[in-house]
Amino acid sequence: MIKELNVVEEKTKTKRRPDWLRVKLPSGEKFKEVSETIREHSLNTVCSEARCPNVGECWGNGTATFMILGDVCTRSCSFCAVKTGRPEQGLDWDEPSRVTDAAKKMGLKHVVLTSVNRDERKDGGAPIFAETHKQLREAIDGVTIESLIPDFRGVWEALQIVIDTPPDVLSHNLETVPRLYRTIRPQAKYERSLELLQRCKDQGLRTKTGIMVGFGEKREEVIELMQDCVDHEVDVLTIGQYMQPTKMHQPVEEWVHPDQFAEYKEIGEELGIGHVESGPLVRSSYHAERHV
């Protein structure tokens, strides 16, 4: 019998999690090496903090998504397993060097960064993104970087700090369709996120966003969101199945069939999005090295 990740066994109104969403328990020497490197450098990863179902595959291949700015988020999105609260005051200026050292030890040529929200700060923690980009480029020849950034509450001066020391891919997730923001992403604004993506594109960055499905969104709403991505010149879109991380989080309304994911990919690319990564287990950093 295949062992599975120890995550909540969600039920929708119709049935339990389908077979296509069952994943093997993480194992193997490479997984162990990555886990030890993360621990030795006192780092956080979205892989573990957000209970990503692909942690076994990605860590087994020697890749990980580093979560910077600590592990406490100032927001309370109903889908997310990352801790919420008030982070410790100040920024950890040693964090960029620890990320860089870990990336070198792991032999990474493509590094993915993400972060918690730091809404208590006017700069949103943007200087740590910039410093991490700088140190990675100085330490690893030919490195490519993807950074999945917060919206910085629309403080565009903070965004500019990231743009001025740019990653190769600038990612910011829409997460869901605008109708569901009040429930799923109450402290964010759909139009603000679109504006952020457009501002980055206007300054020449390759842009990327991601959403989850299974919240109760309608097919037509997903297509409208994809058209918004086209209108704002987004280069890459990821679409994956939402999976409830704990019983305290937003329940799953629907298990979206793989055929629907395939249709979303076809529609999105026909509309004009350069690359759509769409599948039940897709997450925003899944196969990120393909999106540069």
Side-chain angles (χ1 to χ4, degrees):
M1 180 179 293
I2 294 176
K3 293 183 179 180
E4 297 164 9
L5 282 172
N6 185 25
V7 294
V8 63
E9 181 67 31
E10 310 101 319
K11 289 184 180 180
T12 63
K13 297 176 181 178
T14 55
K15 59 182 179 179
R16 290 180 181 271
R17 182 184 296 190
D19 289 343
W20 64 75
L21 286 171
R22 297 182 184 275
V23 293
K24 294 181 180 180
L25 188 71
S27 62
E29 284 303 312
K30 199 64 177 179
F31 177 87
K32 183 179 178 181
E33 289 176 16
V34 172
S35 181
E36 289 177 351
T37 300
I38 296 299
R39 185 176 61 254
E40 288 170 3
H41 289 77
S42 301
L43 294 169
N44 303 297
T45 68
V46 74
C47 320
S48 55
E49 297 296 330
R51 305 189 184 192
C52 178
N54 301 314
V55 63
E57 178 185 351
C58 294
W59 286 23
N61 290 331
T63 64
T65 297
F66 299 104
M67 189 174 78
I68 61 176
L69 300 178
D71 64 351
V72 179
C73 186
T74 53
R75 298 194 185 180
S76 53
C77 299
S78 65
F79 64 86
C80 184
V82 175
K83 290 183 291 186
T84 63
R86 189 168 184 85
E88 292 185 12
Q89 195 170 20
L91 298 175
D92 180 358
W93 285 100
D94 188 52
E95 194 173 45
S97 65
R98 298 200 308 275
V99 169
T100 301
D101 288 345
K104 286 180 66 177
K105 184 173 182 179
M106 292 165 65
L108 300 183
K109 289 298 184 182
H110 182 70
V111 178
V112 183
L113 306 173
T114 187
S115 77
V116 294
N117 286 274
R118 295 291 300 267
D119 290 340
E120 87 283 7
R121 297 182 58 86
K122 184 176 181 180
D123 65 17
I128 295 293
F129 271 103
E131 182 63 22
T132 307
H133 297 167
K134 177 176 176 289
Q135 292 196 26
L136 283 167
R137 296 202 190 281
E138 289 175 348
I140 304 174
D141 288 341
V143 70
T144 54
I145 304 168
E146 175 182 319
S147 282
L148 172 57
I149 65 171
D151 63 18
F152 299 119
R153 295 176 295 112
V155 178
W156 302 128
E157 294 85 356
L159 174 63
Q160 195 63 45
I161 292 171
V162 178
I163 294 174
D164 287 344
T165 309
D168 297 275
V169 179
L170 192 293
S171 182
H172 173 70
N173 285 342
L174 293 171
E175 305 292 8
T176 187
V177 300
R179 176 175 61 85
L180 298 177
Y181 261 50
R182 182 171 295 181
T183 301
I184 305 303
R185 201 180 177 215
Q187 292 137 303
K189 297 179 181 179
Y190 181 77
E191 292 298 333
R192 184 166 69 195
S193 288
L194 287 176
E195 181 177 353
L196 181 151
L197 290 164
Q198 186 66 64
R199 283 174 174 268
C200 293
K201 173 54 63 177
D202 288 346
Q203 295 196 50
L205 275 67
R206 181 169 176 79
T207 56
K208 174 180 173 181
T209 193
I211 64 168
M212 295 168 288
V213 292
F215 288 125
E217 70 290 324
K218 299 176 182 178
R219 175 179 176 276
E220 293 75 17
E221 290 177 307
V222 175
I223 295 172
E224 289 172 2
L225 179 146
M226 289 193 286
Q227 184 60 57
D228 286 338
C229 289
V230 173
D231 293 344
H232 289 79
E233 303 178 271
V234 172
D235 297 296
V236 181
L237 171 66
T238 63
I239 307 174
Q241 170 71 53
Y242 168 63
M243 288 184 276
Q244 184 181 6
T246 75
K247 293 179 181 179
M248 301 298 292
H249 289 84
Q250 183 74 16
V252 176
E253 292 293 328
E254 177 189 6
W255 300 121
V256 178
H257 194 274
D259 289 347
Q260 182 62 70
F261 283 102
E263 185 195 28
Y264 283 149
K265 176 178 175 63
E266 182 179 354
I267 291 172
E269 292 182 351
E270 285 180 351
L271 285 172
I273 301 172
H275 181 78
V276 178
E277 190 92 41
S278 180
L281 291 173
V282 167
R283 295 296 180 266
S284 58
S285 58
Y286 189 55
H287 292 162
E289 70 282 355
R290 302 178 183 179
H291 303 155
V292 177

